Amino acid sequence: MTISLPIVAVLGLFVGTAGLADIQPPSDETPIERLVESLADSDSANRLEAARALEKRGPDAAEAVAALAKAIEDPEPDVRAAVARALGAIGPDAKSAVPAMIAALASDDFTTAGERVWSAIYPALGRIGPSAVPDLIVALKSS
């Protein structure tokens, strides 16, 4: 008996999504403190969703900058990229995270994953604005 490819694909969808129903993305009303806590969650999907939710809050998420600066070191590249986008969405109030962002640029390797992180960090630095320039100059001189 052979199983056709479409059936295998459908079965793969069900098997591959087992457990995803447990992941509840944060709502727009989720307190920022809760999102900050989620940045340190053991589940990378929860960390990713928290970073995305903070990005949506933009400048209103400024109180999360310190936690985001720490989260830019996350082991998952997708989380690091989402964190960078969140910092960029916060804008100039995220200036204190610039050194951590520059360190993340230096630590990511020349892989597709690293490229995703870089392509999120560079525009985020631009959104933080001119206050990021002195740290960038120092980093460029030391590299």
Side-chain angles (χ1 to χ4, degrees), residues 17-103:
T17 59
L20 286 182
D22 297 336
I23 299 172
Q24 296 296 321
S27 73
D28 289 341
E29 292 85 35
T30 303
I32 290 177
E33 298 82 26
R34 176 66 188 118
L35 297 173
V36 166
E37 290 171 12
S38 294
L39 288 172
D41 195 279
S42 62
D43 186 337
S44 65
N46 290 336
R47 296 191 309 270
L48 180 61
E49 288 302 322
R52 288 176 175 164
L54 289 166
E55 177 185 6
K56 288 179 185 176
R57 302 284 177 89
D60 292 339
E63 67 187 82
V65 169
L68 287 164
K70 184 175 179 181
I72 198 84
E73 300 172 0
D74 194 278
E76 294 295 326
D78 289 335
V79 174
R80 290 194 305 274
V83 165
R85 287 189 297 272
L87 288 164
I90 292 169
D93 287 339
K95 193 249 185 272
S96 63
V98 169
M101 295 169 77
I102 291 171

Side-chain angles (χ1 to χ4, degrees), residues 97-107 121 125 132-137 139-140:
V98 169
M101 295 169 77
I102 291 171
L105 283 171
S107 68
I121 290 177
L125 289 168
V133 172
D135 290 319
L136 284 170
I137 292 171
L140 289 171

